[in-house]
């Protein structure tokens, strides 16, 4: 690990913290209400190690094939791994081995596979139901349609080794993120009627974390602002 890279990551983490704290202050929220999850996809385990040394505790990956070995390489760091990518049913059980939380539960069919994986891994897996907020999105782009959210949430809540944490969404490209996150909060409030403990909302990325915090997000998923621009092709 070059000292330059370590200094770069320290600087971007400090800048991100200033941004997050300012967003919380502007929204009248306590900084502790918001968890920053560092999305380390495409970046090496050595970067994860530096971030851990700087105090980062929550890290995320979006592909099973990349997250599994990276989590293994960093198993001595006591990190909490999150899975934020599109999940295939045949990968669900393996994700449950290394991830503590899955932000992308978007269909009922995934739930039994996650439950089995969590049971085998001997853990309680935290689950966020991902919502597709773009009505024009093609099916399969990730996220349950808003009217399917309750069914997925009920299914998760009924699974003994899964814990329903709340909802997750990505703001649609070209839309006002404040509007998108407001809709997400409405859907989250509806889920909380039946599942009061599902009080988390995973929303906000490098470009829209302020709007997400203003709308009440509890988890920010931050890649670029922390690690830099990713190489294209993903
Ligand atoms: C990559 C990714 C992020 C991080 O996005 P940035 O814009 O780089 O901060 C957040 N959420 C998901 C689901 C991602 O795949």
């Amino acid at each position: 690990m070059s000292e330059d890279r370590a200094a770069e990551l320290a600087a971007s983490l400090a800048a991100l913290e200033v941004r997050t704290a300012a967003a919380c202050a502007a929204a009248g929220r306590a900084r502790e209400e918001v968890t920053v999850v560092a999305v380390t996809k495409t970046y090496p385990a050595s970067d994860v190690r530096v971030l851990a040394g700087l105090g980062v505790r929550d890290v995320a990956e979006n592909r099973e094939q990349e997250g599994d070995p990276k989590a293994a390489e960093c198993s001595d760091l006591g990190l909490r791994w999150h899975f934020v990518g599109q999940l295939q049913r045949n990968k669900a059980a393996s994700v449950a081995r290394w991830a503590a939380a899955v932000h992308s539960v978007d269909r009922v069919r995934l739930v039994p596979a996650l439950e089995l994986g969590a049971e085998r891994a001997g853990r309680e897996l935290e689950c966020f139901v991902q919502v597709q907020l773009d009505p024009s999105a093609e099916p399969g782009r990730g996220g349950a349609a808003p009217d399917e959210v309750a069914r997925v949430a009920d299914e998760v809540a009924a699974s003994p080794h899964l814990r329903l944490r709340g909802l997750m969404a990505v703001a649609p490209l070209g839309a006002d993120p404040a509007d998108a996150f407001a809709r997400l909060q409405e859907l989250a409030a509806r889920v909380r009627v039946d599942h009061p403990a599902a009080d988390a909302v995973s929303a906000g990325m490098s470009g829209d974390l302020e709007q997400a915090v203003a709308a009440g997000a509890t988890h920010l998923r931050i890649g670029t602002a922390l690690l830099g621009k990713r190489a294209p092709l993903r």
Side-chain angles (χ1 to χ4, degrees):
M1 172 53 47
S2 78
E3 280 176 35
D4 282 357
R5 181 59 173 157
E8 201 170 87
L9 289 173
S12 55
L13 182 63
L16 175 64
E17 183 49 37
V18 168
R19 253 181 96 184
T20 308
C24 288
R29 301 180 60 198
R31 172 64 186 85
E32 300 74 51
E33 290 176 32
V34 177
T35 300
V36 172
V37 181
V39 183
T40 50
K41 65 188 181 198
T42 80
Y43 286 97
S46 53
D47 280 359
V48 178
R49 202 161 277 280
V50 172
L51 290 173
L54 294 166
V56 170
R57 297 266 58 94
D58 291 90
V59 290
E61 290 288 328
N62 72 333
R63 294 167 69 230
E64 206 284 320
Q65 311 89 288
E66 184 180 355
D68 183 14
K70 214 182 280 182
E73 213 175 319
C74 296
S75 62
D76 58 315
L77 300 175
L79 296 169
R80 276 173 52 80
W81 289 84
H82 300 243
F83 185 80
V84 300
Q86 279 196 51
L87 188 53
Q88 293 162 272
R89 193 153 54 128
N90 64 354
K91 298 280 167 57
S94 26
V95 163
R97 275 202 299 268
W98 55 269
V102 173
H103 292 233
S104 44
V105 184
D106 63 357
R107 55 202 189 277
V108 166
R109 264 156 45 92
L110 279 177
V111 177
L114 287 167
E115 165 61 23
L116 186 64
E119 182 182 10
R120 285 201 187 131
R123 69 154 86 231
E124 187 183 61
L125 185 64
E126 297 186 6
C127 293
F128 294 76
V129 177
Q130 183 180 351
V131 193
Q132 176 56 262
L133 294 173
D134 182 353
S136 65
E138 289 160 35
R141 289 289 291 130
D147 61 1
E148 288 165 11
V149 167
R151 219 157 62 82
V152 182
D154 290 348
E155 210 58 34
V156 169
S159 304
H161 295 86
L162 305 181
R163 182 150 77 93
L164 180 66
R165 287 292 276 122
L167 300 189
M168 177 277 222
V170 175
L173 261 176
D176 179 351
D179 291 346
F181 295 145
R183 285 200 57 216
L184 179 63
Q185 291 295 336
E186 279 170 31
L187 293 165
R190 240 179 273 168
V191 167
R192 280 197 300 272
V193 173
D194 288 330
H195 308 286
D199 58 358
V201 175
S202 171
M205 317 201 307
S206 295
D208 55 22
L209 75 86
E210 284 81 8
Q211 290 92 335
V213 169
T218 61
H219 290 68
L220 307 174
R221 307 178 311 272
I222 308 294
T224 313
L226 206 43
L227 290 123
K229 229 172 137 166
R230 289 176 293 276
L233 227 171
R234 297 200 184 220

